Amino acid sequence: CRIRRYNFKVVTKNYTRLCSSKPIVTVNGGFPGPTLYAREDDTVIVRVVNHVSYNVSIHWHGVRQLRSGWADGPAYITQCPIPPGQNYVYNFTLTGQRGTLLWHAHILWLRATVHGAIVILPKRGVPYPFPKPHQEVVVVLAEWWKSNVEDVINEALKSGLAPNVSDAHTINGRPGPLTNCSRQGGFNLQVESGKTYLLRIINAALNEELFFKIAGHKLTIVEVDATYVKPFETETIVIAPGQTTNALLTAGKGSGSYMVAASPFNDAPIAVDNNTATATLSYTGTQSNNPTLLTSPPPRNATPIANNFISSLRSLNSRTYPAKVPLTVNHDLLFTIGLGINPCPTCIPANGSRVVGDVNNVTFVMPTTALLQAHYFNISGVFTDDFPGHPPHTFNYTGSPPSNMQTKTGTKVYRVPYNSTVQLVLQDTGIIAPESHPIHLHGFNFFIVGRGIGNYDPKKDPKAFNLVDPVERNTLAVPSGGWTAIRFQADNPGVWFLHCHFEVHTTWGLKMAFVVDNGKGPNESLLPPPKDLPTC
Ligand code: C2O
């Protein structure tokens, strides 16, 4: 294995999209930012220098960070942010992982434009468990707002209401040739007949789950969230913010150019950005990058298409890549997730109330000292470890709004011993409206052992759990008005954030953290913090 060094300069750059220009925060001037390449077991050293006026931090989404929590990146959870003019070196090893992940800013809403791909190739000489592609292509899906993204969320926080949705979706930074006022055209994937391509698709959007589709071509899914899956064919991919999907595409005997589409999936009665981002897939010899063969994106509420895709995902579970599903459960947890309403006397348009996010009726309050520092140095008063493992009162989670729409606020964590096994059922409550929440857990991969609609039944539902080849991920979409059960082994000491990867819901407090204590063995404790760790 090797050491891979990168320099990430966080700088402001002017971009023109949708016929207007604005300065955006970027890494090295890119939207999307640079792709980080490494091999399994390599050590990655990224020097991040902050040249903008915001505090920044960078998260390596899906990287396990075994014992290296100091490099995980969420501001005020594992580190204090990097102030303007300062820098911090992220140093971590990609233990036992290969595939596509993403990096993104993990403070404020900066990840709207501060994001990029992580490509982890297998160890040298180790083949993919699928046919070797002729070429690999990174496809980053995101959003574009005409206004300053920080203004969008700040206005929403002042009013107590939901923020404006984005003005366009983007594929590799561009809304695409079929968007009015997108003169720059779009991303073009040039292919040759008979050749196979590996698409590394990333949803870097803040607030939208997306469908992805290519006219006239099927995709073979081989990997999600940097874990291999049993290959299957599909016309449409559904991908939540923070998720990644590797798909093989075989160019047929075609000619001409075909439309590539990314469009919203959301079956809740809320506002979404209904724009479809487009790109083109053109066969060699085709001049135009205006697609001639079009495809229509699924309707935004096409839940059956999404369910069909999600239920097709299975771990590869081969001899080389076995699914190591925990078969016993030490901590059996049930978290309701959703939105509530709390008083806000200054919120005038919202009638003195504001929307909040919650997990088990706790709205998480960001500390002013990083939790990992408080944990490691035993600083008291930063967090309490009384996060409830079950809802404070049982109710019909998916029924009409119950009387407990208000939440408690606090910086509460759930503490587990090293190497214990956790089963966590995430139950959508639909307190305001049922909605699919993309939940991300830092520091671990988990197995999705069960999923259903309605209220989770602890007597009946576990009997149908898949403990053989469930898909392994770091981010999952809990179905609206339903639940998902995951299992993971707490083999990574530190403080690990769990939150909705809709940035608006995280901002509102739909987040919590696990603390995993050190084990007793020589390699079972968190490493000491690096010398340049920023202070708060
Ligand atoms: Cu991709 Cu905590 O985030």
Side-chain angles (χ1 to χ4, degrees):
C1 26
R2 285 181 38 183
I3 296 184
R4 311 263 175 173
R5 290 178 195 276
Y6 283 87
N7 275 312
F8 276 25
K9 276 191 187 176
V10 181
V11 290
T12 300
K13 195 174 170 190
N14 268 312
Y15 269 75
T16 304
R17 294 287 181 272
L18 306 177
C19 285
S20 66
S21 296
K22 63 165 186 175
I24 61 170
V25 181
T26 67
V27 165
N28 300 348
F31 174 68
T35 298
L36 198 155
Y37 288 93
R39 282 188 189 275
E40 181 179 347
D41 289 351
D42 282 355
T43 292
V44 178
I45 298 178
V46 189
R47 184 164 188 267
V48 176
V49 190
N50 182 1
H51 292 285
V52 300
S53 57
Y54 297 101
N55 283 337
V56 300
S57 78
I58 306 281
H59 170 51
W60 321 93
H61 178 120
V63 170
R64 288 285 323 272
Q65 301 290 5
L66 272 170
R67 304 173 62 211
S68 58
W70 305 108
D72 192 37
Y76 301 107
I77 304 294
T78 60
Q79 69 166 95
C80 299
I82 310 167
Q86 308 275 303
N87 45 265
Y88 178 47
V89 177
Y90 291 86
N91 185 331
F92 53 90
T93 299
L94 298 163
T95 317
Q97 291 185 280
R98 73 307 288 175
T100 307
L101 294 169
L102 68 154
W103 56 264
H104 61 75
H106 210 307
I107 185 167
L108 306 171
W109 275 28
L110 295 183
R111 78 176 174 88
T113 52
V114 180
H115 61 243
I118 302 176
V119 171
I120 312 171
L121 301 167
K123 286 181 227 179
R124 199 168 286 285
V126 176
Y128 292 130
F130 46 81
K132 187 175 160 30
H134 168 67
Q135 197 188 320
E136 302 193 358
V137 185
V138 167
V139 179
V140 181
L141 313 178
E143 297 140 315
W144 185 265
W145 274 265
K146 286 188 196 164
S147 35
N148 180 317
V149 181
E150 293 308 322
D151 294 345
V152 171
I153 181 57
N154 287 333
E155 277 158 28
L157 288 175
K158 229 185 274 161
S159 70
L161 299 169
N164 290 342
V165 298
S166 53
D167 298 298
H169 295 116
T170 55
I171 299 176
N172 285 343
R174 298 176 182 280
L178 300 189
T179 302
N180 284 338
C181 204
S182 189
R183 263 185 255 113
Q184 309 95 336
F187 173 69
N188 179 42
L189 168 61
Q190 195 77 39
V191 298
E192 281 173 52
S193 287
K195 301 233 155 120
T196 298
Y197 298 79
L198 179 67
L199 308 186
R200 298 176 173 272
I201 305 158
I202 295 167
N203 185 348
L206 292 186
N207 294 323
E208 303 270 1
E209 192 162 355
L210 295 166
F211 287 120
F212 179 86
K213 191 171 170 185
I214 301 179
H217 292 77
K218 286 204 169 139
L219 298 165
T220 301
I221 309 305
V222 291
E223 193 168 323
V224 294
D225 294 6
T227 69
Y228 292 130
V229 299
K230 290 193 174 75
F232 69 95
E233 248 194 11
T234 186
E235 266 174 26
T236 311
I237 286 174
V238 66
I239 183 164
Q243 292 185 326
T244 55
T245 304
N246 282 5
L248 293 173
L249 171 133
T250 299
K253 289 213 175 57
S255 60
S257 71
Y258 295 75
M259 171 173 153
V260 178
S263 63
F265 165 54
N266 194 313
D267 54 9
I270 57 161
V272 299
D273 173 355
N274 248 317
N275 294 300
T276 297
T278 57
T280 45
L281 176 142
S282 341
Y283 281 76
T284 322
T286 310
Q287 288 301 317
S288 152
N289 71 343
N290 255 340
T292 43
L293 193 81
L294 303 183
T295 181
S296 38
R300 64 165 262 193
N301 62 352
T303 311
I305 295 181
N307 280 342
N308 197 24
F309 179 83
I310 291 167
S311 61
S312 303
L313 293 167
R314 291 269 182 282
S315 275
L316 180 61
N317 194 26
S318 64
R319 194 168 297 170
T320 323
Y321 303 101
K324 293 183 188 148
V325 191
L327 297 178
T328 56
V329 172
N330 302 132
H331 293 261
D332 192 358
L333 311 178
L334 174 64
F335 288 0
T336 59
I337 50 168
L339 304 177
I341 294 181
N342 276 6
C344 169
T346 57
C347 293
I348 292 159
N351 273 330
S353 61
R354 67 158 71 250
V355 182
V356 291
D358 74 275
V359 182
N360 276 348
N361 285 72
V362 179
T363 294
F364 188 89
V365 177
M366 273 309 204
T368 48
T369 298
L371 297 183
L372 191 61
Q373 276 157 309
H375 167 66
Y376 187 83
F377 295 109
N378 265 314
I379 307 169
S380 61
V382 178
F383 63 83
T384 53
D385 50 14
D386 56 347
F387 188 89
H390 290 87
H393 22 247
T394 42
F395 53 91
N396 178 4
Y397 306 118
T398 54
S400 48
S403 51
N404 59 343
M405 285 175 71
Q406 289 190 10
T407 66
K408 285 202 182 107
T409 50
T411 308
K412 299 175 184 298
V413 304
Y414 192 91
R415 191 180 279 269
V416 293
Y418 178 76
N419 233 2
S420 55
T421 50
V422 179
Q423 174 173 292
L424 170 59
V425 176
L426 295 156
Q427 170 77 57
D428 179 33
T429 59
I431 281 180
I432 290 178
E435 182 172 0
S436 172
H437 293 278
I439 303 294
H440 172 49
L441 175 62
H442 289 226
F444 301 94
N445 280 344
F446 48 73
F447 292 95
I448 302 179
V449 296
R451 187 174 187 269
I453 296 303
N455 295 315
Y456 171 70
D457 180 344
K459 293 210 175 64
K460 209 177 84 232
D461 289 323
K463 296 198 174 103
F465 282 177
N466 175 3
L467 302 177
V468 178
D469 63 351
V471 67
E472 185 183 351
R473 317 201 65 144
N474 62 58
T475 306
L476 70 95
V478 177
S480 47
W483 56 272
T484 300
I486 62 172
R487 284 191 186 183
F488 64 95
Q489 183 125 21
D491 59 356
N492 195 6
V495 177
W496 305 110
F497 207 15
L498 174 126
H499 62 93
C500 184
H501 219 277
F502 284 152
E503 204 55 42
V504 56
H505 294 178
T506 308
T507 305
W508 282 340
L510 210 174
K511 53 195 173 189
M512 57 81 65
F514 283 96
V515 170
V516 179
D517 284 314
N518 286 338
K520 301 232 158 31
N523 296 314
E524 296 179 352
S525 48
L526 176 67
L527 297 168
K531 291 212 173 53
D532 60 342
L533 186 72
T535 48
C536 288

